[in-house]
């Protein structure tokens, strides 16, 4: 299991657009076998940082999703929406594995 953590630097004047972008991606990640844990918008503190978390069964499954997302019409439309609205300034991606108490 691998959880993808995305940290976005946002255009603080386009938070509504970023929220819409997040709502587009949640079902798309799930369409390709991931479990989305949500997008998180600024509340207190920095007004230009957003987060997203989603999990895939393996890094290989995540990589397969990434390849397919660049070919899927709905995913391409979501990528284009972010580009057209300029709601995302930049982002970084990290991967985590869970630790369970067994």
């Amino acid at each position: 299991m691998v959880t993808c953590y995305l940290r976005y630097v946002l255009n603080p004047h386009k938070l509504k657009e970023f929220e819409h972008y997040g709502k587009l991606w949640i079902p798309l990640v799930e369409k390709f076998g991931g479990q989305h844990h949500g997008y998180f918008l600024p509340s207190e503190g920095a007004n230009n940082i957003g987060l997203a978390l989603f999990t895939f069964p393996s890094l290989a499954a995540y990589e397969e999703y990434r390849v397919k997302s660049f070919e899927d019409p709905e995913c391409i439309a979501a990528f284009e929406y972010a580009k057209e609205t300029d709601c995302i300034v930049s982002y970084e991606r990290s991967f985590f594995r869970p630790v369970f108490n067994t």
Side-chain angles (χ1 to χ4, degrees):
M1 181 181 301
V2 64
T3 297
C4 183
Y5 162 89
L6 286 162
R7 180 183 184 273
Y8 295 92
V9 176
L10 305 173
N11 179 335
H13 303 290
K14 304 273 181 121
L15 296 180
K16 183 179 268 189
E17 289 83 354
F18 179 73
E19 183 173 358
H20 178 73
Y21 173 79
K23 289 178 179 179
L24 292 174
W25 273 106
I26 291 170
L28 294 174
V29 166
E30 293 174 351
K31 171 181 172 178
F32 291 103
Q35 178 184 5
H36 214 293
H37 308 294
Y39 276 79
F40 301 87
L41 297 169
S43 178
E44 295 294 325
N47 70 347
N48 67 336
I49 302 298
L51 302 173
L53 294 165
F54 53 89
T55 300
F56 277 87
S58 67
L59 188 56
Y62 168 79
E63 290 170 350
E64 184 178 328
Y65 145 77
R66 288 285 291 163
V67 169
K68 289 180 178 178
S69 73
F70 290 117
E71 301 168 353
D72 181 81
E74 290 178 292
C75 294
I76 292 168
F79 288 131
E80 287 298 316
Y81 176 81
K83 189 175 178 181
E84 290 168 6
T85 62
D86 201 29
C87 61
I88 300 169
V89 174
S90 64
Y91 67 92
E92 60 187 49
R93 181 183 294 119
S94 299
F95 296 93
F96 296 88
R97 62 179 176 80
V99 175
F100 297 109
N101 187 9
T102 56

